Amino acid sequence: MSQPNRIDGGQIDRTHSLKFQWNERWMSGHPGDTLASALLANGVKLVGRSFKYHRPRGIFSAGSEEPNALVQLRKGAAQEPNTRATTVELFDGLYATSQNHRGSLEWDLMAANDLLAPFLSAGFYYKTFMWPKAFWEKLYEPVIRASAGLGRLSMWPDPDTYDHGYLHCDLLIIGAGPTGLAAALAAGRSGARVILADEDFTPGGRLNAETYEVSDTPGSAWAENAVAELAAMDNVRLMTRTTVYGAYDHGIYGALERCTDHLAKSDGKPRQVLWRIYSKRALLAAGAIERSIAFGNNDRPGIMLAGAVRAYVNRFGVAPGRHVAVFTNNEDGLRTAVDLRAKEIEVTEVDARKGDMIVDTKGRKGVHSVILSNGRTVPVDCVAVSGGWSPTVALACHHRGRPEWREDIEGFVPADDLPPGMTVAGAANGTMTLGACLSDGHERGVALAAELGAHGSSGAVALASDETFEIKPFWHVADAKPRAWVDLQNDVTTKDVRQSHAEGFRSVEHLKRYTTLGMATDQGKTANILGLAVMAETSGKTIPETGTTIFRPPYNPVAIGAFAGRARGKDFRPYRLTPSHKWAEENGADFVETGMWLRAQWFKQPGEKGWRDSVDREAAAVRRSVGICDVSTLGKIDIQGRDAAEFLNRIYSNPFLKLPVGKVRYGLMLREDGIAYDDGTTARLSENHFVMTTTTANAITVFRNMEFARQCLWPDLDVHLISTTDGWAQFAVAGPKSRPLLQKVVDDLDLSNDTFPFMACTECSVFGGTPARLFRISFSGELAYEIAVPARFGDSMIRGLMAAGEEFDAVPYGTEALGVLRIEKGHAAGNELTGQTTAQNLGLGGMVSKKKDAIGLKLSERVEMNRHDDLRLVGFKPKDRAVLLTAGAHFLTPGDPADMAHDQGWMTSVAYSPELGHSVGLGYLKRGGERMGETVRAYSPVRNQDIMVEVCSPHHIDPVGERQRG
Amino acid sequence: MAEIDFTLEAAPILGGVDLTIGANRIAECDDLAIVSVATPLGGDDAMAKALKDVWNLSLPEPSVSSQSGEIRTVRTAPDQLFLIFPHATPDAETVVQQKLAGAGYTTDQTDVWVVLEISGPDTLAALERICPLDTAAFPIGGAARTVMEHMGALLLRLDVDRFWLLSASSSAGSFLHAVETSYRNVASH
Amino acid sequence: MIIDHPLLGPRDAAEFVYKGDASLIHRPDGMTATDDEMHDYVYLRDNPAGEHRELWYHEQGDRSWLVVTRNTLTHEISKVELARDVARAEGRGQ
């Protein structure tokens, strides 16, 4: 397992070896390597195939800007496609494979696409797949889908876990290169609370890749010392392997920390953490990214950015080649030649500033020669290209900032439209030399710390000399015959850019979408400026006139799993359990989600074959004897104050001012637009103390709206609200035997009809001293009560009630039987309160008091909402009693065509009534109240039902209410 | 008295859970009573006086609890505070109401909340994963309401690495799971 | 987004629920309002590109309703007040 290209030097740990697999071949590297540096050390040049033409591609960069070296990392369910080999930290046992080829990487069957290149240029899809129309779905789309995309998903659930988190700081420094480190040292020493984040696993940025000295020590050693000093400061949090990917409002930044990606096993810890960082100030010190020059066949493996070549040589101790052509338009690129020669690597300098150019390259699976503009062919195994450096301005532009062009550096720098609180320093701000970056970082660190009130001694600025910086714009070899690549990842060439211009797609936003320039996973980090430059030249404009596209988060790809965090499967949202949940589980309950609540929908007994068996039994038992249902999920609001009654009178459409103490009243709330909103009962426990119940679904919004009314509409009413929904275990005890059952349970309270009539309420105690509240209310239409005890007694209470009910054959009943009972009785619920129904529709128009103002009163009086021929809630039964009704069916007058023009209303709720022995329904019917006994057609094309139904009172059972009042 | 020989038993919401994760602990406090007290409109002075006279408590500032002996008070709304104190029987509200003698409107909140006492060296790191507030900057005694994993919560810092977390009792199981997961995600063992 | 709560300091917008234009405070009395007045109150809102006074509810906090002055173009929040104080100052008290 030799590493033929490993050379002396670098910051890798040669005392340890790491074994890894590449395309099933075992290789070795060292701690400190990336997968890319280890592959290069092992002589691997060809690492993947390009997106469109399936051209052989190699490693192009040494950072997260990598367009080419995308690999499939790990195997099985944990595999991740499109991982940049340049950012993958090597670990023992790492397994990676190349992607985007059929057959082997070396002999990719899809490489035939390259021969079809003349047909596959920009706009190919739009032009080609237009006809015949029928081919799109059957042929084109399946073929395109099969060949599109890069890596492949495992199609298994992601076995890793992810987490979210929140961090707070005075100053967030983005980037731990020389600028960021200098700023962090200054601000940290001053005492500011600092977070320093860098996406690399070794802080230092370009200091690790170059041979510069800082304060008379090698740059990388200075960085190491700086990190050690920062690590010792309690007020500084250094976050490596952390990409700040987005700048959001009010100093909030998104960051992704890769916690276990560099380990063979995650050991049960989250793989990545998505942080929300709250900062008072932010310093963007994200450096700069080198860009290429477009020349003929400039995409072959072995052709790399010059700065990346220096990084591999200086940081990783790897020679990307033994004979390197350096093609540059700037002074920095030429330093590559110096560094390479120091390692005894042969160099051919091609300086565009002197008019020298590479016009073409040769070598199918790796460059083996370059052809120069003077016609000479030079054998090389690597080309180091530098078209200059582009400041990393993305985060500075996340609030729609438009960067400004600076001619002296041939790059865009952030303008003054930065996100509030952000400052930009160092190369990200166009400061392109080391000494200047260090002092810029230091000064900004001092100034920002002072702004934040940290005035400790910031220490001295680190010193370094400033290298010469000189660049001459040179973007592409204009007369190159062969294709010259601009965007390597999306296979966009200079020809595509020119074609885009020729076909009228000239604005950058059009150029981007027509050619897909910059739309790949790398977002064109090494390509965009080059593409703009070619477009500018073609259209005879300047680069700043051409402009940039909008920058949007994320700066680098973030796995969907990281955004999801823990919110997967059962952890998608919290569950709320009723106090009798455990007992219900023990007694065969089947649960249903209602909002966040889990409620028992029925209790299956031995021998019951389907849910109907259980529900019919439960509903029948309530009518015959007694049933018990946990209704704790209803919203409960405690209302107190001198003006509590007045407040309720303004909230409910019906009067509440004169509700006597010890009584409950049904209340109907309207929205301000007059539509029915929520209903429930409210009990007056004492002069200034009420307890309101809301529907389960609206508990939170009703409370919110009541707080709005209290604070904003009537701020001087003395009324106070607090939710007690979770505080009480509340059970409906319903049926003719509910009174004798509860009489056994309550302490010293006579439940006879005279002393505790319908709609009475009281505070009492049960089972010998446990405090309780008792309400005589009925949703089922039977003699019924609701009894509440503090939630801690809920489990015990259901057991006690069942024990007390044993002699009456008491049964527990769930939400389905609850539904059957209320439909039989004609009580409206969620199906009826659709957000479009009025009190009139519900048949409750008479309840709305006209004598007092209340929310919704005024607009409920609108003429159109009070038409006599409007919908009314009525009951329905099938003419053929054996037929089951269908909710959602629309009503038609027999003989009328089934269309909306003849629509008469619709069925809202249906149930099988075990009491009546047939299906019963509730629904809205035009002039329903006047049509008792009429036969109408109930038509449901969706459920394929077309039947005749009889209109009847919604109170299918006990229409005069004798049972509940008895 | 009731005609049936049956006694209701109080059950802690989470069964009195007591977990150790690494060097950290999550324990349910099931002996605390919580009573909310709303200040009548215009009654701020009377409320402050009552708190002082009855319990020697000062009216708490919005983000800091105040304490006297075993009773603590936290401001939960501009005109509302919670009294939290050890009290096992279900009559806490009656007790407070009598002592306040009309200075505030009381509501029993004991059963509305689950109280977890969390402690240990990884506590701040665990809170970072679920709590959007800057808990590291909380003073001892600092208190705030916020939302964690979609669940409303009230935090109270008891010590450097010891907090009470209050959340709704109906979702107590999910809340415990969220807190426990946070510790497991950051603890070294 | 962060809302600087007048009593509690900066809090993440995730703790709040948005309602809408602060003009919703000025509910006409249902017994005396004309149809048009009530219609305008319920249905008509300004939609300014720039400063906007709007109602936010600190649901996961102290249950205060706030009047937040926010620039709809930049999201800059220039003022946060307790809605109850605003309501009183604007004549909704008794």
Side-chain angles (χ1 to χ4, degrees), chain A residues 211-362:
Chain A
T211 51
Y212 304 132
E213 292 200 334
V214 178
S215 300
D216 299 323
T217 55
S220 61
W222 177 84
E224 209 178 321
N225 291 336
V227 166
E229 185 182 338
L230 292 169
M233 295 182 195
D234 284 340
N235 55 327
V236 176
R237 181 172 183 138
L238 177 63
M239 301 178 76
T240 55
R241 303 181 178 98
T242 302
T243 306
V244 179
Y245 63 80
Y248 300 95
D249 284 318
H250 305 153
I252 299 175
Y253 289 81
L256 181 76
E257 182 179 10
R258 289 168 294 278
C259 302
T260 68
D261 282 357
H262 61 294
L263 305 173
K265 287 203 171 74
S266 62
D267 202 21
K269 297 289 190 238
R271 179 188 163 215
Q272 297 176 344
V273 177
L274 197 79
W275 294 104
R276 175 183 286 227
I277 302 178
Y278 301 88
S279 69
K280 296 194 178 89
R281 295 284 186 282
L283 180 69
L284 180 65
I289 291 173
E290 202 170 15
R291 60 204 179 217
S292 184
I293 296 172
F295 53 93
N297 287 311
N298 61 335
D299 67 328
R300 297 191 191 283
I303 300 175
M304 316 172 75
L305 292 170
V309 169
R310 298 202 296 282
Y312 289 117
V313 169
N314 296 327
R315 174 175 171 180
F316 298 103
V318 174
R322 297 293 169 176
H323 187 154
V324 180
V326 176
F327 185 20
T328 179
N329 67 350
N330 66 85
E331 198 64 25
D332 186 70
L334 275 192
R335 267 185 287 278
T336 316
V338 177
D339 288 2
L340 290 174
R341 287 190 183 113
K343 301 286 183 184
E344 293 168 356
I345 294 170
E346 217 176 314
V347 178
T348 299
E349 291 179 22
V350 185
D351 191 340
R353 292 172 300 175
K354 297 177 186 162
D356 297 335
M357 287 177 277
I358 295 176
V359 295
D360 197 3
T361 69
K362 299 285 179 199

Side-chain angles (χ1 to χ4, degrees), chain A residues 595-616:
Chain A
M596 293 200 295
W597 289 100
L598 288 184
R599 298 186 72 180
Q601 49 184 348
W602 56 77
F603 295 82
K604 191 177 178 187
Q605 293 297 301
E608 288 175 342
K609 293 193 179 67
W611 65 273
R612 266 284 304 281
D613 290 353
S614 310
V615 174
D616 288 357

Side-chain angles (χ1 to χ4, degrees), chain A residues 869 874-875 891-894 904-905 925-937 950-952:
Chain A
D869 59 349
V874 288
F891 301 124
L892 297 158
T893 304
Q904 297 282 301
L925 182 68
K926 282 187 182 168
R927 294 185 297 106
E930 305 164 14
R931 298 170 71 174
M932 293 300 143
E934 197 180 316
T935 295
V936 295
R937 181 179 165 201
E950 184 186 326
V951 182
C952 60

Side-chain angles (χ1 to χ4, degrees), chain A residues 58-89:
Chain A
I59 292 155
F60 186 68
S61 75
S64 68
E65 66 271 30
E66 177 63 29
N68 273 348
L70 304 184
V71 303
Q72 197 94 17
L73 193 67
R74 302 180 194 258
K75 53 182 156 185
Q79 70 180 285
E80 189 175 40
N82 302 335
T83 306
R84 290 152 290 168
T86 48
T87 62
V88 174
E89 203 172 336

Side-chain angles (χ1 to χ4, degrees), chain B residues 57-99:
Chain B
L57 279 170
S58 55
L59 194 67
E61 293 299 309
S63 300
V64 191
S65 64
S66 74
Q67 185 184 2
S68 170
E70 286 195 299
I71 189 163
R72 287 169 190 275
T73 176
V74 181
R75 195 82 84 91
T76 47
D79 53 2
Q80 180 196 78
L81 48 85
F82 277 9
L83 293 172
I84 308 173
F85 51 98
H87 189 87
T89 51
D91 59 345
E93 189 227 335
T94 316
V95 172
V96 171
Q97 194 181 41
Q98 282 164 2
K99 288 188 176 172

